[in-house]
Amino acid sequence: FDKSFTQNAAGKMEQIHDALVMGIRDYFSKMNFKKATLGLSGGVDSALVLALAVDALGKENVLPVMMPSPFSSDHSVSDSVKMCENIGMEVLKIPIENTYNSFLEATAESFNGIPFNVAEENIQARIRGTLLMAISNKHGYILLNTSNKSELAVGYGTLYGDMAGGLSVIGDLYKTEVYALCRYINRNGEIIPENILTKPPSAELRP
């Protein structure tokens, strides 16, 4: 991705950034909520939503949650930690391997003889969605959804999993716009780690 911006491109991204930040603030104000939570995967979409939420609500009012599975890469965790360090905020880490294994044990009889497929992948997404909704309910936070318009257009999402949330912050942004907006956010210095913007996107739900 070209790091440089034309004046017109930068102006468009500024407008999109300001509109999304205003939308988050307006939603929280009208709903009478102050704090948000979201799943931080180490990918570009959740990184962008975190940056926008911090701009809108302040870092003290946003709780990012990392939920690594057996298939999560080391850089997914380290990139997430690096971004939170760049912002100067805390991040909650809840590994889901034990929970995932419990689901596999519970479904072992009904899954017997059927190769690993989307079922095992979606279990991970739904575990994460359940944990995030539990945190949202327990603390009175709004869960921010991190899916983009390109994913929604082709059905690349898991019902009751990564599609959970009270507000779909980037639901009207295509993936190309997600990357451009991340570059705009980094215009004055690194907030979103460079590795998040250059590594190939992956759901990391299978080997």
Side-chain angles (χ1 to χ4, degrees):
F1 187 87
D2 186 357
K3 297 181 184 180
S4 64
F5 280 103
T6 66
Q7 187 172 358
N8 288 340
K12 179 183 177 182
M13 287 305 113
E14 181 180 14
Q15 290 180 336
I16 291 174
H17 171 272
D18 292 352
L20 292 175
V21 168
M22 182 182 72
I24 296 169
R25 285 180 183 154
D26 193 50
Y27 182 90
F28 275 73
S29 174
K30 289 178 177 176
M31 296 290 287
N32 198 28
F33 281 83
K34 296 185 182 302
K35 299 193 180 231
T37 188
L38 71 150
L40 191 62
S41 68
V44 66
D45 298 310
S46 63
L48 176 57
V49 173
L50 176 59
L52 292 168
V54 168
D55 284 348
L57 306 172
K59 63 184 180 182
E60 69 279 4
N61 292 316
V62 183
L63 176 64
V65 185
M66 296 189 306
M67 295 166 286
S69 81
F71 306 113
S72 297
S73 59
D74 291 340
H75 61 72
S76 291
V77 175
S78 61
D79 289 342
S80 296
V81 170
K82 178 70 164 32
M83 180 170 179
C84 291
E85 289 175 348
N86 288 346
I87 297 172
M89 66 188 305
E90 297 295 321
V91 57
L92 178 63
K93 183 179 178 181
I94 306 177
I96 67 166
E97 182 170 3
N98 290 340
T99 308
Y100 175 61
N101 288 336
S102 295
F103 272 80
L104 295 184
E105 182 179 346
T107 56
E109 184 176 351
S110 61
F111 286 7
N112 185 38
I114 304 174
F116 185 108
N117 66 6
V118 69
E120 287 86 353
E121 294 185 17
N122 284 342
I123 284 172
Q124 297 165 71
R126 291 182 176 126
I127 289 170
R128 289 173 171 137
T130 299
L131 289 170
L132 289 168
M133 285 306 306
I135 291 169
S136 169
N137 292 158
K138 181 61 71 175
H139 296 287
Y141 298 168
I142 291 288
L143 173 59
L144 300 179
N145 182 273
T146 62
S147 296
N148 64 65
K149 195 171 187 176
S150 295
E151 292 172 343
L152 295 174
V154 298
Y156 190 75
T158 303
L159 285 172
Y160 324 116
D162 56 337
M163 294 179 71
L167 179 65
S168 183
V169 176
I170 59 172
D172 279 326
L173 292 188
Y174 292 109
K175 192 77 169 186
T176 50
E177 294 172 315
V178 167
Y179 280 104
L181 189 52
C182 287
R183 291 295 184 192
Y184 171 79
I185 286 171
N186 279 2
R187 67 196 182 281
N188 296 322
E190 184 183 88
I191 295 173
I192 300 171
E194 181 68 17
N195 194 50
I196 289 179
L197 302 180
T198 56
K199 67 186 177 184
S202 171
E204 296 189 336
L205 297 175
R206 64 188 305 153

